[in-house]
Amino acid sequence: ASLPVQLVDAHHALSFYQPDRMAYFRNEEVWKDVQAVYGGYLKDHPNSFYDRTWYAKLACWCGKYDEAHRQFETLGEKAVVNIFKNRE
């Protein structure tokens, strides 16, 4: 079910109401929610490249660059680039 992902979607929506969106994502509680949702999901769906790419992007937003790097290493060339503005 997509219910757990709705928690992350809620954080994404709430971030638009903050004076500093990226500061919102750097809140440790937000990261705990993101990690709880995607950590379990990706164990069960390791080839979900779209979701893994989103998780990597969220890890960057949350300032968890080591985790983002691990996800990008796992993705290799299978990262879903259109989640970002461009390949860089």
Side-chain angles (χ1 to χ4, degrees), residues 44-79:
D44 292 338
H45 303 90
N47 293 326
S48 181
F49 306 122
Y50 180 87
D51 292 307
R52 187 173 298 280
T53 304
W54 252 112
Y55 182 49
K57 182 176 182 173
L58 289 165
C60 288
W61 285 358
C62 291
K64 305 301 181 185
Y65 302 111
D66 289 342
E67 181 61 27
H69 180 74
R70 279 191 290 278
Q71 297 307 316
F72 285 123
E73 287 288 315
T74 300
L75 284 161
E77 291 296 316
K78 295 180 179 173

Side-chain angles (χ1 to χ4, degrees), residues 6-39:
Q6 289 180 10
L7 174 59
V8 175
D9 291 344
H11 280 302
H12 190 252
L14 286 170
S15 73
F16 285 100
Y17 294 96
Q18 306 304 312
D20 181 348
R21 283 187 71 214
M22 292 302 103
Y24 177 83
F25 280 102
R26 287 188 300 274
N27 179 310
E28 199 60 35
E29 295 303 314
V30 173
W31 172 244
K32 286 179 184 177
D33 287 346
V34 169
Q35 192 175 33
V37 168
Y38 281 102

